[in-house]
Amino acid sequence: MATGTGKAFDVNLFKRLLRYTNPYKWTFYFVAVSAILLSVFAVLRPYLLQITIDDSILPQDNENLVYYISLMLIALLLEVIFQFLFIYFANWLGQEVIRDLRVNLFEHMLRFKMKYFDKSAVGRLVTRAVSDIETIASIFSEGLFVIASDLLKMLVVLVFMFYNSWQLTLLVLLVLPFILYATRVFQKKMKIAFEDVRNQVANLNTFVQERITGMKIVQLFTREKVEYENFKEINQKHKKGWVKTVWYNSIFFPIAEMSTSITIGLIVWYGGLRVVDNDALSLGIIIMFIELAQMLFRPLRQIADKFNTLQMGMVAANRVFAILDTESSIKDEGKLEIDNLNGAIEFQDVRFGYEEAEEVLKGVSFKANAGETIAIVGSTGAGKTTVINLLNRFYEINSGKILVDGMDIRDITLKTLRAEIAVVLQNVFLFADTILNNITLHNPNVTEDDVIRAAKEIGIHEFIVSLPNGYHYNVKERGVMLSSGQRQLISFLRAYVSNPSILILDEATSSVDSYSEQLIQDATDKITEGRTSIVIAHRLATIKKANKIMVMDAGKIVEMGTHKELLKVKGGFYKNLYEVQFMAEESV
């Protein structure tokens, strides 16, 4: 389903979208029936007007006049009622469809590999999940049914016109091909223009989202003027995209209006001559044809406008389905559901690269016995964080095996595996919610009493209750109301209440204050007790307590042993790292 081709309508894409209406088929049918009735009522009003003129006004028959006016009022009332029902249920159907589609999209994105999010702009994904899906709703509320109703109305009008006067109908049809051609060209141009608009909207959302998120960096490095100029340029491209659609509208609608006026002039000219010549043509029929001609051309103009709406919705649907068609999830083909793992970990010649041509891990092999604490040290880019990402199956390994309790992690269900592993990251992410909900993540199996008991066990209860509203304190977006050390303590408690078999600490104490560090050290001692732990650390105190230290460099394990054993290796990587980084810390 390629975009940008200028193809006016993608039938396969449309059929796929219509499948989302299957649960609401009775509403769909009702809207369709309403569209049919509206087309009948549309013809009925001009017909009653013609009879009123010819049979009541010209003969001056007051009794018939009241009768026909009453019929016109009844027809108008019925038309208003069905117009209301048509609009309401068409919009209702659209909202039901996009609700289901948005749920499907979000559920699909929840299963994506981390690699997908590494390469996808957050603002663009937000655009797909919010504004693009909202645009799809207009297919049903303003596009599909309105177009169908208008086309049916035009067909009924044409048949009725031929029935009453084929000569006047031919006059109307003289101008119709020109309008149809102009409409077709207009639709193709607008399809391309709207694709450009959606691209520019996504670019604008991405830019704004990134700059607002990184506003501290922008201001720290005094990049306000540069980013302001960049924003002006992106905003200008966005404006140009919309101006192009305005240009096409400015050309098409005056042409359509002029064509309608020419058609009415032809009807009045030819019909007037026939009336003057005392032909069978009546004044009522001429007025009726003027009404019918306007009813024929007005839907054409509206169809062009509604087709724009339909095309915008189709472009948006194409983008949303492109994400739904993306196969980027970790294959969850494991059958084993294990509770309370012992926590023994083994990497067997594991090779992996975020990009296929560039390996990050180059044949990594090690064992961690159940209950052991392994510290991983090494320079930036050595592959430390990659090890824990692979253990959680955020990425698929290129070759080798990763075993937990002797079982290949690919044989264990993802839900079971990740439920047994808790991770505390250096950069803690907190949601704009209460401390309690950030700890439990709305897990119904973890009560507030459980959280309070766990907080007391690891020594951070006093810190939490000192905050306004305690456990119900709202930390706002990304936890900005807390310091980095406080956020870290919350993440430790989040890990602890999940009662994991395997604990991973990724540089969890590298950038906190001394007070928070002491609390974190105490919490670390408590939550690592009796469970397998992998610690990526820059602090000597944490490393020295490990049962073994794994030294990594350039994607390989270059040394393995205890702190004392590694210091005895002459010219060793760890000994050098200790002398450069840790010796001053130890002396303090």
Side-chain angles (χ1 to χ4, degrees):
M1 294 180 293
T3 59
T5 60
K7 186 177 179 181
F9 196 75
D10 191 325
V11 176
N12 292 328
L13 179 64
F14 187 66
K15 286 180 179 178
R16 183 175 181 182
L17 190 60
L18 278 184
R19 285 201 289 269
Y20 280 85
T21 66
N22 287 343
Y24 318 104
K25 59 183 180 180
W26 291 112
T27 303
F28 185 92
Y29 294 151
F30 178 80
V31 174
V33 170
S34 297
I36 295 171
L37 290 174
L38 285 173
S39 65
V40 174
F41 291 134
V43 172
L44 186 59
R45 283 189 296 106
Y47 174 67
L48 288 173
L49 178 61
Q50 180 251 318
I51 295 176
T52 302
I53 293 171
D54 289 341
D55 295 352
S56 300
I57 295 177
L58 293 179
Q60 298 183 353
D61 186 343
N62 291 334
E63 187 176 337
N64 266 347
L65 180 62
V66 173
Y67 172 71
Y68 286 126
I69 288 175
S70 300
L71 288 179
M72 290 174 67
L73 286 173
I74 293 171
L76 181 61
L77 181 62
L78 289 172
E79 186 175 2
V80 167
I81 291 172
F82 278 97
Q83 188 75 39
F84 163 76
L85 294 173
F86 175 80
I87 293 172
Y88 176 81
F89 283 107
N91 279 273
W92 181 89
L93 182 62
Q95 291 302 317
E96 291 293 320
V97 167
I98 67 166
R99 181 198 62 186
D100 296 345
L101 187 57
R102 187 177 280 130
V103 167
N104 286 352
L105 179 66
F106 188 72
E107 182 187 28
H108 191 65
M109 289 195 295
L110 285 174
R111 294 195 297 268
F112 279 162
K113 302 175 186 176
M114 288 298 108
K115 186 175 182 179
Y116 180 86
F117 297 105
D118 293 341
K119 294 183 176 182
S120 300
V122 174
R124 193 172 292 274
L125 291 176
V126 171
T127 301
R128 299 293 176 267
V130 181
S131 60
D132 275 347
I133 286 190
E134 202 62 45
T135 304
I136 293 172
S138 63
I139 291 179
F140 299 95
S141 61
E142 301 174 36
L144 169 66
F145 292 116
V146 174
I147 290 174
S149 176
D150 285 345
L151 287 174
L152 187 59
K153 189 182 297 182
M154 290 170 61
L155 178 61
V156 173
V157 166
L158 273 175
V159 171
F160 190 70
M161 288 170 74
F162 267 113
Y163 174 78
N164 282 276
S165 173
W166 64 268
Q167 297 97 329
L168 288 179
T169 306
L170 289 179
L171 280 177
V172 174
L173 293 179
L174 284 175
V175 185
L176 191 60
F178 176 72
I179 289 290
L180 290 174
Y181 175 75
T183 302
R184 179 68 173 171
V185 172
F186 178 65
Q187 289 166 357
K188 287 185 176 181
K189 294 293 184 183
M190 290 299 282
K191 173 75 169 8
I192 298 171
F194 280 134
E195 286 176 354
D196 184 45
V197 165
R198 296 314 303 170
N199 275 327
Q200 298 307 327
V201 168
N203 291 338
L204 190 62
N205 284 349
T206 299
F207 183 89
V208 172
Q209 188 272 336
E210 287 182 346
R211 269 55 183 186
I212 290 176
T213 303
M215 188 58 71
K216 183 181 288 187
I217 300 298
V218 172
Q219 294 183 357
L220 277 172
F221 290 90
T222 63
R223 304 294 292 172
E224 294 94 335
K225 183 173 177 57
V226 173
E227 296 302 341
Y228 171 71
E229 295 298 329
N230 289 339
F231 178 78
K232 281 175 62 178
E233 183 179 345
I234 292 175
N235 199 36
Q236 178 68 11
K237 290 179 180 178
H238 178 260
K239 186 206 76 172
K240 284 182 177 178
W242 276 109
V243 166
K244 192 180 292 184
T245 67
V246 173
W247 168 251
Y248 292 140
N249 277 300
S250 301
I251 294 174
F252 174 76
F253 285 104
I255 290 175
E257 196 65 39
M258 181 182 67
S259 302
T260 304
S261 299
I262 291 172
T263 304
I264 292 174
L266 289 172
I267 292 172
V268 172
W269 168 73
Y270 180 78
L273 289 177
R274 294 279 300 274
V275 171
V276 170
D277 291 340
N278 293 318
D279 204 339
L281 211 60
S282 68
L283 182 61
I285 290 178
I286 293 174
I287 293 174
M288 180 181 70
F289 261 79
I290 291 173
E291 282 284 314
L292 292 173
Q294 289 178 324
M295 291 177 61
L296 186 65
F297 286 118
R298 191 183 304 122
L300 270 179
R301 296 198 300 273
Q302 290 178 350
I303 283 174
D305 191 29
K306 299 306 178 185
F307 210 98
N308 296 341
T309 301
L310 181 61
Q311 286 179 324
M312 283 188 72
M314 294 294 284
V315 170
N318 195 25
R319 296 179 184 281
V320 170
F321 285 134
I323 296 179
L324 285 171
D325 291 339
T326 300
E327 293 296 333
S328 185
S329 58
I330 296 291
K331 292 181 179 179
D332 189 10
E333 298 175 347
K335 304 296 183 184
L336 300 176
E337 295 186 3
I338 310 298
D339 290 327
N340 298 318
L341 291 168
N342 292 323
I345 301 169
E346 183 177 358
F347 275 54
Q348 295 180 353
D349 194 26
V350 173
R351 293 182 175 273
F352 169 76
Y354 295 101
E355 300 293 339
E356 291 184 10
E358 187 177 342
E359 279 192 337
V360 176
L361 296 187
K362 304 169 183 177
V364 170
S365 298
F366 70 89
K367 289 183 180 180
N369 297 322
E372 279 189 338
T373 296
I374 292 185
I376 307 178
V377 298
S379 58
T380 301
K384 306 185 297 295
T385 300
T386 302
V387 169
I388 63 174
N389 282 337
L390 296 181
L391 183 59
N392 277 285
R393 287 199 73 197
F394 287 140
Y395 302 87
E396 294 281 25
I397 61 177
N398 296 346
S399 62
K401 280 187 177 182
I402 301 176
L403 307 177
V404 175
D405 287 0
M407 298 173 288
D408 193 318
I409 60 172
R410 288 170 290 195
D411 295 332
I412 305 173
T413 64
L414 272 177
K415 184 176 181 180
T416 298
L417 176 68
R418 290 176 180 169
E420 292 296 314
I421 302 173
V423 182
V424 179
L425 300 172
Q426 177 184 3
N427 298 316
V428 179
F429 187 93
L430 297 181
F431 296 95
D433 206 336
T434 64
I435 287 178
L436 179 64
N437 289 336
N438 268 290
I439 292 168
T440 65
L441 297 177
H442 299 277
N443 184 346
N445 297 321
V446 181
T447 66
E448 185 172 352
D449 289 338
D450 294 333
V451 173
I452 294 172
R453 184 165 52 253
K456 289 178 178 178
E457 288 176 2
I458 65 175
I460 66 173
H461 174 71
E462 295 301 323
F463 142 65
I464 295 176
V465 295
S466 69
L467 297 170
N469 297 322
Y471 287 87
H472 298 279
Y473 178 61
N474 194 309
V475 300
K476 305 300 181 184
E477 187 175 1
R478 296 177 178 268
V480 293
M481 303 303 292
L482 302 177
S483 69
S484 59
Q486 290 171 329
R487 290 196 295 270
Q488 202 65 263
L489 290 169
I490 298 300
S491 70
F492 266 80
L493 186 52
R494 178 195 286 170
Y496 187 54
V497 297
S498 68
N499 193 28
S501 301
I502 299 170
L503 178 68
I504 295 172
L505 306 179
D506 186 0
E507 301 182 0
T509 60
S510 64
S511 59
V512 297
D513 56 84
S514 56
Y515 172 73
S516 296
E517 182 182 353
Q518 186 56 52
L519 287 177
I520 289 173
Q521 282 294 343
D522 295 340
T524 301
D525 293 340
K526 179 65 178 177
I527 67 176
T528 56
E529 186 180 323
R531 54 172 58 92
T532 308
S533 303
I534 297 178
V535 182
I536 299 174
H538 287 161
R539 305 279 180 164
L540 181 61
T542 306
I543 296 171
K544 288 175 70 174
K545 290 180 181 179
N547 297 103
K548 66 178 73 169
I549 301 168
M550 190 166 74
V551 184
M552 296 190 68
D553 183 43
K556 296 180 179 180
I557 298 175
V558 292
E559 293 172 3
M560 176 88 78
T562 64
H563 173 68
K564 291 182 179 179
E565 290 171 349
L566 293 177
L567 285 181
K568 294 177 182 178
V569 180
K570 291 185 178 181
F573 192 99
Y574 181 79
K575 182 178 175 67
N576 179 61
L577 184 67
Y578 170 77
E579 291 172 351
V580 172
Q581 184 175 335
F582 298 139
M583 192 173 287
E585 182 184 337
E586 191 172 49
S587 64
V588 172

